[in-house]
Amino acid sequence: MLKLPDNLDPELYQRLVDTNGGELTTKMGVEYLELSAEHSVARMPVEGNRQVVGILHGGAHVVLGESLGSISSAIHAGPGRVAMGIEINATHSRSISSGWVTATCDALVLGRTLATHEIVIRDEEGRRLSTVRMTNILRDRQG
């Protein structure tokens, strides 16, 4: 069961429902567990997201991190505003070849025009696999 903030923008809620969080994350099997501006959690299977040598693709880590950072920033931006990624980086610390990974996204800065989140991706034993940091610019929606 997905945990959402009580004051979530109805339009953003509908977009999340209609797209299941986005086409790419749906293809990758991402499951959103908790979404808010301050703290979000999602998980993703390793199977189907591995690179040629059989480990979870580094880009899959980044997709999971960016998805959580973007949604968390959009929640913070609020009605009539959008969040657009302007910077992302990832440090991969450990590889994984099977099972599931869980990402936790925590706000570092929630400002009026910028939101920065740190996303930590861990294996089922709680070992850190990667750290992703993302900054979104927050703007009024046009038209």
Side-chain angles (χ1 to χ4, degrees):
M1 177 96 183
L2 175 60
K3 182 179 172 186
L4 295 167
D6 294 332
N7 62 345
L8 182 63
D9 174 17
E11 184 178 333
L12 177 58
Y13 172 80
Q14 195 59 53
R15 279 186 281 151
L16 289 169
V17 168
D18 290 348
T19 67
N20 196 34
E23 294 173 356
L24 180 57
T25 53
T26 298
K27 287 179 185 179
M28 295 175 67
V30 172
E31 298 175 1
Y32 296 99
L33 306 175
E34 179 179 346
L35 296 172
S36 76
E38 298 83 12
H39 179 79
S40 295
V41 181
R43 67 186 213 131
M44 178 181 69
V46 173
E47 184 176 350
N49 295 310
R50 291 182 284 225
Q51 55 157 280
V52 68
V53 298
I55 61 173
L56 182 62
H57 196 291
H61 289 258
V62 176
V63 167
L64 180 57
E66 182 167 355
S67 298
L68 278 178
S70 292
I71 292 171
S72 296
S73 293
I75 292 169
H76 172 66
R81 303 193 80 212
V82 295
M84 298 175 287
I86 59 170
E87 188 273 336
I88 191 163
N89 67 60
T91 301
H92 306 302
S93 308
R94 180 182 212 106
S95 64
I96 186 171
S97 58
S98 64
W100 286 76
V101 297
T102 300
T104 56
C105 172
D106 291 298
L108 298 176
V109 176
L110 293 175
R112 190 180 65 75
T113 58
L114 292 176
T116 301
H117 290 84
E118 178 181 72
I119 303 94
V120 176
I121 301 169
R122 298 183 185 275
D123 65 15
E124 292 170 297
E125 286 76 46
R127 296 175 293 201
R128 185 183 293 242
L129 304 173
S130 63
T131 306
V132 178
R133 186 177 56 83
M134 179 180 195
T135 299
N136 281 273
I137 192 166
L138 310 176
R139 296 278 192 224
D140 292 338
R141 187 173 298 124
Q142 301 297 315

